[in-house]
Short mmCIF file of all heavy atoms in Angstrom, two decimals:
data_model
loop_
_atom_site.label_atom_id
_atom_site.label_comp_id
_atom_site.label_asym_id
_atom_site.label_seq_id
_atom_site.Cartn_x
_atom_site.Cartn_y
_atom_site.Cartn_z
N GLY Z 320 1.30 -9.96 -15.22
CA GLY Z 320 1.02 -11.40 -15.06
C GLY Z 320 2.01 -12.25 -15.85
O GLY Z 320 2.13 -13.45 -15.60
N ARG Z 321 2.74 -11.62 -16.79
CA ARG Z 321 3.69 -12.40 -17.62
C ARG Z 321 5.13 -12.21 -17.16
O ARG Z 321 6.07 -12.72 -17.77
CB ARG Z 321 3.52 -12.03 -19.03
CG ARG Z 321 2.12 -12.33 -19.56
CD ARG Z 321 1.83 -11.63 -20.89
NE ARG Z 321 2.46 -12.26 -21.99
CZ ARG Z 321 2.35 -11.82 -23.24
NH1 ARG Z 321 1.63 -10.72 -23.52
NH2 ARG Z 321 2.98 -12.41 -24.24
N ILE Z 322 5.35 -11.38 -16.09
CA ILE Z 322 6.68 -11.10 -15.60
C ILE Z 322 6.91 -11.83 -14.29
O ILE Z 322 6.07 -11.76 -13.38
CB ILE Z 322 6.87 -9.60 -15.39
CG1 ILE Z 322 6.51 -8.78 -16.60
CG2 ILE Z 322 8.31 -9.29 -14.97
CD1 ILE Z 322 6.53 -7.29 -16.41
N GLY Z 323 8.06 -12.45 -14.13
CA GLY Z 323 8.49 -13.00 -12.85
C GLY Z 323 9.60 -12.11 -12.28
O GLY Z 323 10.56 -11.85 -13.01
N TYR Z 324 9.41 -11.62 -11.06
CA TYR Z 324 10.39 -10.68 -10.52
C TYR Z 324 11.15 -11.32 -9.36
O TYR Z 324 10.54 -11.91 -8.46
CB TYR Z 324 9.69 -9.42 -10.10
CG TYR Z 324 10.53 -8.39 -9.35
CD1 TYR Z 324 11.76 -7.98 -9.85
CD2 TYR Z 324 10.10 -7.89 -8.13
CE1 TYR Z 324 12.52 -7.05 -9.18
CE2 TYR Z 324 10.86 -6.96 -7.43
CZ TYR Z 324 12.07 -6.58 -7.95
OH TYR Z 324 12.81 -5.65 -7.30
N VAL Z 325 12.46 -11.23 -9.39
CA VAL Z 325 13.28 -11.80 -8.30
C VAL Z 325 14.05 -10.63 -7.66
O VAL Z 325 15.04 -10.15 -8.23
CB VAL Z 325 14.26 -12.83 -8.85
CG1 VAL Z 325 15.06 -13.44 -7.72
CG2 VAL Z 325 13.52 -13.97 -9.62
N PRO Z 326 13.61 -10.15 -6.48
CA PRO Z 326 14.36 -9.07 -5.86
C PRO Z 326 15.58 -9.53 -5.12
O PRO Z 326 15.83 -10.72 -5.04
CB PRO Z 326 13.28 -8.52 -4.85
CG PRO Z 326 12.50 -9.71 -4.45
CD PRO Z 326 12.48 -10.64 -5.67
N GLN Z 327 16.30 -8.58 -4.58
CA GLN Z 327 17.49 -8.98 -3.78
C GLN Z 327 16.99 -9.56 -2.46
O GLN Z 327 16.15 -9.00 -1.81
CB GLN Z 327 18.32 -7.73 -3.46
CG GLN Z 327 18.89 -7.08 -4.66
CD GLN Z 327 19.84 -5.97 -4.30
OE1 GLN Z 327 20.64 -6.09 -3.38
NE2 GLN Z 327 19.75 -4.87 -4.95
N HIS Z 328 17.52 -10.72 -2.09
CA HIS Z 328 17.00 -11.32 -0.85
C HIS Z 328 17.49 -10.68 0.45
O HIS Z 328 16.78 -10.73 1.43
CB HIS Z 328 17.22 -12.84 -0.83
CG HIS Z 328 18.63 -13.24 -0.49
ND1 HIS Z 328 19.07 -13.29 0.75
CD2 HIS Z 328 19.67 -13.57 -1.32
CE1 HIS Z 328 20.34 -13.65 0.74
NE2 HIS Z 328 20.71 -13.82 -0.47
N PRO Z 329 18.66 -10.04 0.51
CA PRO Z 329 19.05 -9.60 1.84
C PRO Z 329 18.13 -8.55 2.46
O PRO Z 329 18.20 -8.31 3.64
CB PRO Z 329 20.45 -8.98 1.55
CG PRO Z 329 20.90 -9.63 0.31
CD PRO Z 329 19.67 -9.83 -0.50
N ARG Z 330 17.23 -7.93 1.65
CA ARG Z 330 16.37 -6.93 2.26
C ARG Z 330 15.17 -7.54 2.94
O ARG Z 330 14.38 -6.85 3.60
CB ARG Z 330 15.92 -5.93 1.19
CG ARG Z 330 14.92 -6.45 0.24
CD ARG Z 330 14.51 -5.35 -0.78
NE ARG Z 330 13.68 -5.89 -1.80
CZ ARG Z 330 12.37 -6.07 -1.67
NH1 ARG Z 330 11.77 -5.78 -0.53
NH2 ARG Z 330 11.67 -6.53 -2.68
N LEU Z 331 15.03 -8.86 2.92
CA LEU Z 331 13.90 -9.50 3.57
C LEU Z 331 14.29 -9.82 5.03
O LEU Z 331 15.43 -10.16 5.34
CB LEU Z 331 13.53 -10.79 2.82
CG LEU Z 331 13.14 -10.57 1.36
CD1 LEU Z 331 12.96 -11.89 0.65
CD2 LEU Z 331 11.88 -9.74 1.24
N ASP Z 332 13.31 -9.74 5.90
CA ASP Z 332 13.49 -10.01 7.35
C ASP Z 332 13.94 -11.42 7.59
O ASP Z 332 13.25 -12.38 7.25
CB ASP Z 332 12.12 -9.74 8.01
CG ASP Z 332 12.18 -9.99 9.50
OD1 ASP Z 332 13.20 -10.39 10.04
OD2 ASP Z 332 11.12 -9.79 10.17
N PRO Z 333 15.09 -11.60 8.25
CA PRO Z 333 15.61 -12.99 8.44
C PRO Z 333 14.78 -13.82 9.44
O PRO Z 333 14.92 -15.02 9.46
CB PRO Z 333 17.03 -12.78 8.95
CG PRO Z 333 17.02 -11.40 9.50
CD PRO Z 333 16.01 -10.62 8.74
N LEU Z 334 13.96 -13.19 10.30
CA LEU Z 334 13.27 -13.94 11.30
C LEU Z 334 11.82 -14.27 10.87
O LEU Z 334 11.03 -14.86 11.59
CB LEU Z 334 13.16 -13.15 12.60
CG LEU Z 334 14.19 -13.48 13.72
CD1 LEU Z 334 13.97 -12.58 14.90
CD2 LEU Z 334 14.10 -14.92 14.09
N PHE Z 335 11.49 -13.89 9.64
CA PHE Z 335 10.12 -14.02 9.19
C PHE Z 335 9.62 -15.46 9.24
O PHE Z 335 10.29 -16.36 8.71
CB PHE Z 335 9.98 -13.47 7.75
CG PHE Z 335 8.66 -12.91 7.49
CD1 PHE Z 335 8.41 -11.54 7.72
CD2 PHE Z 335 7.61 -13.70 7.07
CE1 PHE Z 335 7.14 -11.02 7.47
CE2 PHE Z 335 6.37 -13.15 6.81
CZ PHE Z 335 6.14 -11.82 7.06
N PRO Z 336 8.45 -15.71 9.85
CA PRO Z 336 8.00 -17.08 10.01
C PRO Z 336 7.29 -17.66 8.76
O PRO Z 336 6.06 -17.78 8.71
CB PRO Z 336 6.98 -16.98 11.20
CG PRO Z 336 6.43 -15.60 11.04
CD PRO Z 336 7.50 -14.75 10.46
N VAL Z 337 8.10 -18.00 7.79
CA VAL Z 337 7.56 -18.65 6.57
C VAL Z 337 8.42 -19.80 6.16
O VAL Z 337 9.62 -19.80 6.36
CB VAL Z 337 7.47 -17.69 5.37
CG1 VAL Z 337 6.25 -16.81 5.44
CG2 VAL Z 337 8.73 -16.83 5.25
N SER Z 338 7.83 -20.84 5.53
CA SER Z 338 8.58 -21.93 4.97
C SER Z 338 8.90 -21.61 3.51
O SER Z 338 8.37 -20.67 2.92
CB SER Z 338 7.77 -23.22 5.06
OG SER Z 338 6.65 -23.14 4.19
N ALA Z 339 9.82 -22.39 2.95
CA ALA Z 339 10.17 -22.22 1.53
C ALA Z 339 8.92 -22.28 0.65
O ALA Z 339 8.73 -21.48 -0.28
CB ALA Z 339 11.17 -23.24 1.13
N LEU Z 340 8.03 -23.21 1.01
CA LEU Z 340 6.79 -23.37 0.22
C LEU Z 340 5.86 -22.13 0.38
O LEU Z 340 5.29 -21.66 -0.60
CB LEU Z 340 6.06 -24.63 0.65
CG LEU Z 340 4.79 -24.99 -0.19
CD1 LEU Z 340 5.16 -25.28 -1.61
CD2 LEU Z 340 4.06 -26.20 0.42
N ASP Z 341 5.78 -21.59 1.61
CA ASP Z 341 4.98 -20.38 1.83
C ASP Z 341 5.41 -19.25 0.90
O ASP Z 341 4.61 -18.56 0.32
CB ASP Z 341 5.12 -19.89 3.29
CG ASP Z 341 4.39 -20.80 4.28
OD1 ASP Z 341 3.40 -21.44 3.87
OD2 ASP Z 341 4.81 -20.80 5.46
N VAL Z 342 6.75 -19.06 0.86
CA VAL Z 342 7.30 -17.99 0.01
C VAL Z 342 6.99 -18.27 -1.43
O VAL Z 342 6.53 -17.36 -2.15
CB VAL Z 342 8.82 -17.87 0.24
CG1 VAL Z 342 9.43 -16.82 -0.73
CG2 VAL Z 342 9.14 -17.48 1.65
#
Side-chain angles (χ1 to χ4, degrees):
Chain Z
R321 298 165 76 181
I322 307 174
Y324 173 51
V325 182
Q327 297 187 42
H328 76 82
R330 72 180 174 81
L331 302 172
D332 178 0
L334 264 179
F335 210 92
V337 277
S338 67
L340 185 63
D341 288 333
V342 174

